[in-house]
Amino acid sequence: MDADVIVVGGGVIGTAIAWRTARAGQTVTIIDPGTDDKASLVAAGMLGPVSESVFGEQDLLNLNLHAIGRFPSFNAELEEAAGSVTGLRTEGTLAVAYNNDDLAALDRLTEFRHSIGLAAERLDAKACRRLEPFLAPSIRGGVLTLGDLSVDNRRYLAALRTAAAGAGVAAIVGSVTQVADATDGGIRVRLAAGAGPEPAELSAPHVVIAAGWSTGRIDGLPDQIRKAVRPVKGQILRLRHPGNLPPILSHTVRAIVGGRDIYLVPRADGELVVGATQEERDDRDVTAGAVHDLLRDAMTAVPAISELTLAEASAGRRPGTIDNGPILGHLAGINGLILATGHFRNGVLLSAITADAVAALLTADQPHPAWAPFHPSRL
Amino acid sequence: MDADVIVVGGGVIGTAIAWRTARAGQTVTIIDPGTDDKASLVAAGMLGPVSESVFGEQDLLNLNLHAIGRFPSFNAELEEAAGSVTGLRTEGTLAVAYNNDDLAALDRLTEFRHSIGLAAERLDAKACRRLEPFLAPSIRGGVLTLGDLSVDNRRYLAALRTAAAGAGVAAIVGSVTQVADATDGGIRVRLAAGAGPEPAELSAPHVVIAAGWSTGRIDGLPDQIRKAVRPVKGQILRLRHPGNLPPILSHTVRAIVGGRDIYLVPRADGELVVGATQEERDDRDVTAGAVHDLLRDAMTAVPAISELTLAEASAGRRPGTIDNGPILGHLAGINGLILATGHFRNGVLLSAITADAVAALLTADQPHPAWAPFHPSRL
């Protein structure tokens, strides 16, 4: 056996799991391809439990609300362990609408929030522009949600890596191609042939699959699991404030522009993330059309965005699932194998409670009840 | 003396001059900061002598026509000397219009071309789309100019560098801050303090200033020269065809879209250059607004551009002059100093005849008469 626990995947999910597991005293090895092709790096880091779940997804909403409750304390522990900041923002989300249809959609969301006991304040256009003076004068109104958070997803992942390394997690660069029962009673993990000196196989009594969109590429997992996770392409922009231009936004802004949903997530360091497309495609091409549409909608919401610099346009693959919910729990059939994948648009938000849940599973405890609907047995 | 000739500036102008001068038997040193902040690298490489000169700029048109006549033979010599290709395209330019005003502007340009004896064929919308099937169906008509060329400006500069090195040109990385008469009778060139081991001063009997937009930063040049050259910012996009998508354009396409002029320059390797803004600014920020506008106008002209990948968005500074014309000739006051700068939007096009003209000046010959209006004494 090469470790107590092998974690397959080094995004925010896998790294959070590895850190917490190692901190609990286990020896942990994380295996990751080491490329930038991870949703964790492309994401915006918006932590909005309600806006990211739609009507009818009550179970996912419950999970997201559990997640937002846990995130700040987890993040504080992380910042202390890593000795760095993750850029947590607590100003909340201002959602704005540009025409009557958009406003009606916002109102329905607000009523829904109220119906489940959540705070959300309806604001007229003037009040919106008092909060965010650079919003287009043509906005019709908005809703302020103070409970939403955001985090700089790249700083957050970097902090998780630092904390994991500090807790003794070993990291191996490689792509896992297969999992199977090992002859010694544990689980055998096979890596793709690489140039490096790393072993082609490792084994451990426990293996956690946190491979995101690439989960479907791992042989040995049952077909219903492999088919349940699919890549959902997202294109996203990172803007910066040039020269001495002050920050043009202080809240996360979500805008519905002619039916299209766009979000703008400001960072303390002057970055402004604009996202995102959602495409049923399995490539990472940054297309002219998507960049144009994101810029157009962002500039419709906040015209001064035209003056910001375009620092980066990138594309990533989210791990989408058949019911938009994550997959978490022991896999029947391979003893000791735990799935923690399929987090779709909520990976950063769910990372803290996913690490808690896997820690519980590894010590034969029960994860929080909000996880019950997301067990692999549903697939 | 450190060389027979020192060339200040390693863009297409300076490097073309250095190559031809070294090939003629002189020892040549080129001094360049070595950064990517050169108009030669940002340019599109469109060689359209008429479309880049406006009514009333007859002298510049004459010069451009002289340049386009010389370019192919110069380029052929260059490709042979460098052992590489520069991507010269000879399909010509198709200019298209999207409304009646745009069409009227095109017609005026066509009449002007005809009046000076140049070929330009008026085409209806159907004929335009026969030549370029991906043009938007909404085009109103166009004009085909077969004499226009284009070249891959980056391959062209790389070939010039290879040819120059092959001819024995020495290259020094540094920024020239001052020129002055030297005590030994030549010209002294002072470099900014750098980390490298290069000398802080060099001297030569002849110094050629080919420093483009940064000409105005060189102490020792007369004020009227320094003030005559200003940086004119241009933002430009480089798109690529993803996967196995065939090239969507074969001609250089210029489109007038609602009064705005945009050009699309295809390369044999699948690159498509979309340009360009023209801004009286002295920075290299790539702004959200400019990228949006370029994409919007390009997609209006050729909707399928939305499917191309955005490989690069960049900004450069053209050396604009007070009369849009270059500055070429001996400078009165500093014996042996030659100016070859201020090529604005025509640097690549004019590079071949600029090298010829400087070679003539260095051997006490007269440059081609088309250069006469562009002598520094006019400033």
Side-chain angles (χ1 to χ4, degrees), chain A residues 77-112:
Chain A
E77 291 171 47
L78 173 62
E79 290 188 335
E80 189 176 338
S84 60
V85 294
T86 63
L88 188 72
R89 299 285 296 253
T90 58
E91 289 87 345
T93 298
L94 180 63
V96 295
Y98 286 80
N99 64 33
N100 287 340
D101 289 344
D102 300 340
L103 199 59
L106 256 193
D107 282 341
R108 284 194 296 276
L109 188 63
T110 307
E111 283 163 28
F112 177 62

Side-chain angles (χ1 to χ4, degrees), chain A residues 54-78:
Chain A
V54 298
F55 304 107
E57 292 180 349
Q58 186 65 45
D59 290 336
L60 186 55
L61 176 62
N62 289 343
L63 188 70
N64 286 347
L65 291 173
H66 168 46
I68 195 85
R70 169 66 169 128
F71 196 89
S73 62
F74 182 91
N75 186 68
E77 291 171 47
L78 173 62

